[in-house]
Amino acid sequence: LYYDNSLKLATDASGIKLNDDVRARFGTDNDLALFHNNTHGYLTNYKNNLYLQAPNYVQIASTTTGGSSQEISATFLRNGACELNYDNSKKFETIAAGVRVGTGNNLYLYDNGSLNIGNSNDLSLYHDGSNSYINNSTGDLWLRTPGPMYFYNNWDNEYYAKFKPNDSLDFYYDNSHKFSTASTGITITAHHDI
C-alpha cells in the first residue's frame, strides 16, 4: 500500500511490515501511535493515560539485536510484587508488609536526601555532605539492642563508649578506659580531674 507514491505497508513472510517512520495510529483523533524511526521504537499516547494490561504480569525487558536474549528490567505481578532489577539482578521489590531491598544490596541517598519515618516525618536520617544526622521530632528516641552497644570510630581502632546490659557503662578517652558504672556506684580507672 502506498500514499503519494511512497510505500507505507507491505506483507512479507513474517506478516505485515511498516516502513521506518510510518505510524500505526489508533483512535479517532490519532491518540495512540506505534512506530520505528530506523533508530528507536516508540509507543506514544497523546491523550489521557496509557495502560499496559495483562492477566498475570507485565514485564519490561531489553533485548539483543534480533531478540535472541533478553535482560529483565522490571516485573509487575498480578496480586504480587513489583520487582526492579539492575543488570538482570533483582534489587528492589514490594512485599505484603511494605518494600524490601534485595539481599546483599544497599539503599543509597544523595547528600541532603533524607530517610523519613513516621506519618509526619518524625524521624529522619540524612547526610548534608559534611556531617550525618539522626533527628527525632516526636516523643523520645530509643536505641535498643539485646547485647552490648558500642560507640566506635570509623577506622575501627578507638572506642568511645561501651554500654553492656546488666553490667557497666564504660567511657573512654583516646581509646583509654577512664570511667565506668558499677554495682556499688562508679569506678574511675585512671587519674582524671573532676
Side-chain angles (χ1 to χ4, degrees):
L1 297 179
Y2 291 78
Y3 178 83
D4 194 20
N5 207 34
S6 175
L7 179 65
K8 299 300 181 182
L9 184 146
T11 59
D12 62 16
S14 60
I16 297 175
K17 178 180 178 182
L18 298 176
N19 280 0
D20 291 336
D21 288 316
V22 176
R23 290 160 168 76
R25 298 183 183 274
F26 304 88
T28 303
D29 298 318
N30 297 324
D31 303 312
L32 180 69
L34 177 65
F35 68 98
H36 196 278
N37 66 1
N38 196 35
T39 304
H40 306 292
Y42 296 86
L43 173 62
T44 305
N45 183 57
Y46 298 101
K47 187 176 181 181
N48 294 327
N49 304 317
L50 176 66
Y51 296 92
L52 301 178
Q53 297 178 317
N56 295 316
Y57 63 88
V58 172
Q59 198 167 72
I60 298 173
S62 60
T63 60
T64 58
T65 302
S68 59
S69 64
Q70 67 176 8
E71 186 172 292
I72 299 169
S73 299
T75 303
F76 307 95
L77 300 160
R78 180 185 180 189
N79 299 323
C82 297
E83 302 172 349
L84 300 180
N85 294 353
Y86 178 85
D87 195 20
N88 217 32
S89 175
K90 184 166 64 176
K91 301 298 180 181
F92 184 89
E93 65 181 325
T94 59
I95 59 175
V99 298
R100 176 169 53 204
V101 177
T103 302
N105 299 313
N106 300 305
L107 179 64
Y108 293 94
L109 297 176
Y110 289 106
D111 287 341
N112 295 306
S114 62
L115 174 63
N116 298 309
I117 304 168
N119 289 344
S120 302
N121 300 327
D122 306 303
L123 178 66
S124 63
L125 291 79
Y126 67 96
H127 190 273
D128 66 3
S130 299
N131 302 298
S132 299
Y133 299 85
I134 301 175
N135 285 343
N136 180 56
S137 60
T138 304
D140 301 324
L141 176 64
W142 293 65
L143 302 178
R144 293 180 174 179
T145 177
M149 183 180 297
Y150 301 110
F151 292 84
Y152 208 58
N153 71 2
N154 196 44
W155 301 276
D156 291 333
N157 62 7
E158 187 172 310
Y159 282 104
Y160 302 136
K162 298 179 184 178
F163 298 167
K164 294 174 282 189
N166 303 317
D167 203 331
S168 64
L169 305 180
D170 302 320
F171 297 89
Y172 293 75
Y173 176 85
D174 194 20
N175 208 38
S176 176
H177 184 206
K178 300 296 182 181
F179 179 91
S180 294
T181 60
S183 59
T184 56
I186 62 171
T187 301
I188 298 175
T189 57
H191 175 73
H192 187 73
D193 295 328
I194 298 178

